Amino acid sequence: MSLLSIANVSKTFQTPGGPVHAVKDVEIDVQPGECLAIVGESGSGKTTLANMVLGILGATEGTISFEGAALPIKRLRDHRRMIQLVQQNPLSALNPMRSVGAAIRLGLDTYGIGARADRWGRVEAALEAVGLPAEMRNRAPTALSGGQRQRVSIARALAVEPKLVVLDEPTSALDVLVQARVLRLLNDLRRDRGLTYIFITHDLAVVRNVADRVAVFQSGQLVELGATAQIFTTPQTAYARSLIGAVPVVDDAELALRNQLAEGA
Amino acid sequence: MIRTILVLTRNPLSLLGLILVGLVIVAAVFAPWLAPYPTHNGAVVDFLNNNRAPSAQNWMGTDLVGRDIFSRILYAYQISLTLGVVVLVIATPIGTIIGLLAGYVGGWVEAVLMRVVDVFLSIPPLVLAIAMMGVLEPTLTNAMLAVTAMWWPWYARLVYAIARSEREEGYVLAAEVIGAGTPHIAFREILPNCLPAIITKMTLDMGFVIIIASSLSFLGLGVQPPTPDLGSMVAEGARYLPDSWWLTVFPGLAILIAVFGFNLLGDGLREVLEIDG
């Protein structure tokens, strides 16, 4: 059974300029343990879809189900806990007036995870799991670097032991070296904990490194869905080809593949 | 807290504000010990010494019934500060809670709360206070009530504006996704980010509340004689200007020192707290 099933989901926003169809009739099954990348340009509906999965937005049509049970906009506590988020901007994702530890502990308190007396221990363990020192729990987020903050965000999401994590461009605000370390951390955590990722990004170089499958979005529609290798080597649609063509060239083999694709287009 | 005060002392104007506010607080708290004539805070009459110019016995002269003006100013500070503190301690939480809920929850909650705030804000504040005092008996308690009624909407609007913009921050989304409730998000996540602005405004407002309260008693609608009050002291002496200048000048200066001090301190706090935040 798929972990998350998105069935015929549409989202229409009513604006003064008429209805805007942000997501149109999307159908995706997310398998347990996989990393599904959602790619597409800005405004292609990636984040709207993620917000519906997270229960921040309600779908106009269609249903989203988790482990076979439909997810209404008013989530049950356990469902809310099972789907967590890591945001793009690590600067705003942590409250500047609250300590790193308080941010991670919030989920533990909300769901009553562990005995009250053990919770700081769990917070420290969560920090260590993302490669940060346990003492960091007393620090203010403003004293941390972008990469450290993003690790704290990951620790916060994982502290409530979710099954599915929505990663909304988790590395695009980080510099390249930090990006690579955070990606490796995310990969390790997924393997060790059997997590499922929905990885939203427009960075296809990242997609190649982390994703098992790729869903390509264009103006609210799912235009292509397939295994990462297949999308990168034999994209079926012109849009997917153009997206892949926009990846900065990394090495000669890549360039050769690119030229080959361009000729085929 | 201690660090904030240390930073404040580095700016000469903030330091001056800190010193003036400190003086006013010391004067008010220790009035019974500092006043050369502690009994003159009440209905004492000494017609042999009335309306005397400043001298070694009466540093700021005596009033029309012979009471020591310096002593009465110290006691008047007690009244002014008490009034300011009580007004702000009541008005700030009311305004803050309303502003937070309106700003974070939005929807009809926002519409209802902010329209009520708009109604209060649309009445000129002094007029509202004067109207209330005209209906109520002119006592210290009622003066506090009247000033509080005109004060809380400003806090509601300040906090509302901050909460509206904080609501868009990622940490609010993060708390919502984790599943934290509205009270937690409003009071534990958003409120701390409003505190620097609230504390700054409270400091500045101490000065304004003192002015408003003095204005009310200047008009005879505030604290009543024989209780010493800076506004009514100025009002009493105004008829005898310029000959008996000490009757108005010293209470006037006392108002100026308090308001100036709180304003300088508030401006200093704004810089220190907002750079930190």
Side-chain angles (χ1 to χ4, degrees):
Chain A
M1 184 178 65
S2 53
L3 184 73
L4 183 86
S5 156
I6 299 166
N8 308 106
V9 166
S10 300
K11 178 71 190 178
T12 308
F13 291 107
Q14 299 299 336
T15 68
V20 171
H21 303 284
V23 171
K24 280 182 273 187
D25 200 21
V26 167
E27 182 131 15
I28 304 176
D29 281 330
V30 182
Q31 302 308 322
E34 79 168 329
C35 176
L36 172 76
I38 297 185
V39 300
E41 327 167 287
S42 309
S44 59
K46 298 173 299 195
T47 300
T48 305
L49 184 70
N51 285 344
M52 288 189 283
V53 170
L54 289 162
I56 297 163
L57 284 176
T60 315
E61 275 172 64
T63 46
I64 299 177
S65 3
F66 186 82
E67 294 181 322
L71 291 179
I73 176 74
K74 201 106 178 95
R75 297 280 159 94
L76 297 171
R77 275 167 60 84
D78 284 342
H79 279 148
R80 193 165 275 292
R81 176 178 166 184
M82 283 303 135
I83 306 177
Q84 287 301 315
L85 168 72
V86 175
Q87 300 177 47
Q88 173 176 13
N89 183 355
L91 289 173
S92 102
L94 295 169
N95 192 335
M97 302 297 276
R98 284 165 66 79
S99 71
V100 162
I104 298 172
R105 192 179 158 130
L106 172 60
L108 303 180
D109 288 337
T110 303
Y111 296 104
I113 298 169
R116 201 164 269 279
D118 300 337
R119 287 195 193 139
W120 284 122
R122 280 177 178 263
V123 168
E124 290 177 355
L127 280 170
E128 279 165 354
V130 296
L132 293 173
E135 307 86 72
M136 203 170 262
R137 77 172 165 93
N138 295 317
R139 303 269 289 275
T142 42
L144 270 56
S145 71
Q148 287 171 328
R149 290 184 202 207
Q150 201 56 302
R151 283 169 192 264
V152 172
S153 288
I154 294 168
R156 170 174 61 188
L158 298 188
V160 298
E161 296 161 357
K163 288 186 177 164
L164 175 67
V165 183
V166 176
L167 302 147
D168 189 0
E169 313 227 12
T171 56
S172 58
L174 305 175
D175 69 58
V176 182
L177 270 178
V178 180
Q179 214 175 54
R181 286 195 212 113
V182 170
L183 286 176
R184 203 170 311 136
L185 170 72
L186 286 171
N187 266 340
D188 292 346
L189 289 167
R190 177 160 72 103
R191 195 191 49 230
D192 297 346
R193 302 181 180 211
L195 295 167
T196 307
Y197 287 168
I198 293 180
F199 200 113
I200 297 168
T201 183
H202 51 241
D203 185 344
L204 286 151
V206 168
V207 170
R208 283 196 92 165
N209 285 312
V210 299
D212 300 315
R213 286 196 304 156
V214 182
V216 182
F217 272 72
Q218 181 184 21
S219 36
Q221 278 173 311
L222 176 64
V223 292
E224 197 162 343
L225 174 63
T228 307
Q230 181 245 313
I231 295 277
F232 275 85
T233 52
T234 54
Q236 301 301 305
T237 58
Y239 183 69
R241 273 197 292 277
S242 68
L243 265 186
I244 289 161
V247 181
V249 176
V250 191
D251 56 38
D252 290 345
E254 180 100 19
L255 190 63
L257 174 68
R258 190 81 54 77
N259 291 336
Q260 199 184 322
L261 284 172
E263 279 161 29
Chain B
M1 178 66 189
I2 293 164
R3 205 176 60 85
T4 307
I5 292 173
L6 281 178
V7 175
L8 273 177
T9 57
R10 277 188 230 139
N11 177 334
L13 282 178
S14 309
L15 180 61
L16 179 62
L18 206 59
I19 291 171
L20 291 180
V21 168
L23 281 177
V24 170
I25 293 173
V26 168
V29 172
F30 298 103
W33 295 278
L34 292 174
Y37 302 89
T39 53
H40 286 190
N41 72 328
V44 173
V45 173
D46 181 4
F47 281 116
L48 289 175
N49 287 312
N50 79 324
N51 205 11
R52 293 279 171 91
S55 65
Q57 281 78 44
N58 306 101
W59 302 339
M60 297 183 182
T62 62
D63 68 6
L64 296 171
V65 293
R67 293 174 299 199
D68 182 47
I69 291 179
F70 177 60
S71 303
R72 288 182 64 77
I73 285 178
L74 296 182
Y75 279 101
Y77 269 151
Q78 271 188 344
I79 305 283
S80 293
L81 288 190
T82 310
L83 195 136
V85 168
V86 170
V87 165
L88 293 180
V89 160
I90 300 171
T92 309
I94 296 175
T96 301
I97 291 170
I98 289 176
L100 265 180
L101 290 179
Y104 172 60
V105 179
W108 65 267
V109 175
E110 171 183 349
V112 170
L113 291 178
M114 292 318 287
R115 288 309 76 75
V116 172
V117 169
D118 285 345
V119 167
F120 273 88
L121 288 177
S122 65
I123 306 167
L126 199 53
V127 173
L128 177 64
I130 290 172
M132 280 189 70
M133 291 308 285
V135 176
L136 302 167
E137 263 183 83
T139 61
L140 181 61
T141 317
N142 286 341
M144 289 178 190
L145 205 70
V147 181
T148 306
M150 57 175 275
W151 224 269
W152 69 266
W154 296 97
Y155 283 87
R157 213 169 69 163
L158 173 79
V159 173
Y160 167 73
I162 303 173
R164 278 283 303 250
S165 75
E166 292 294 321
R167 180 171 77 180
E168 307 303 325
E169 291 288 321
Y171 68 82
V172 173
L173 175 65
E176 285 170 349
V177 168
I178 282 173
T182 300
H184 173 92
I185 295 175
F187 294 104
R188 305 291 299 280
E189 303 281 345
I190 296 178
L191 180 59
N193 288 285
C194 304
L195 281 181
I198 293 174
I199 291 168
T200 304
K201 185 166 168 58
M202 285 176 82
T203 312
L204 290 168
D205 279 358
M206 272 301 284
F208 294 126
V209 172
I210 291 172
I211 287 192
I212 293 284
S214 301
S215 309
L216 281 179
S217 37
F218 181 87
L219 296 170
L221 296 169
V223 181
Q224 294 298 299
T227 312
D229 182 276
L230 298 172
S232 42
M233 288 166 84
V234 172
E236 271 172 33
R239 277 173 288 164
Y240 301 93
L241 277 174
D243 298 330
S244 305
W245 54 272
W246 54 89
L247 294 177
T248 40
V249 167
F250 291 115
L253 270 177
I255 297 176
L256 185 108
I257 288 173
V259 175
F260 190 51
F262 278 111
N263 275 336
L264 288 178
L265 185 61
D267 282 340
L269 272 177
R270 168 156 41 210
E271 277 170 34
V272 174
L273 293 175
E274 281 174 17
I275 289 167
D276 274 17

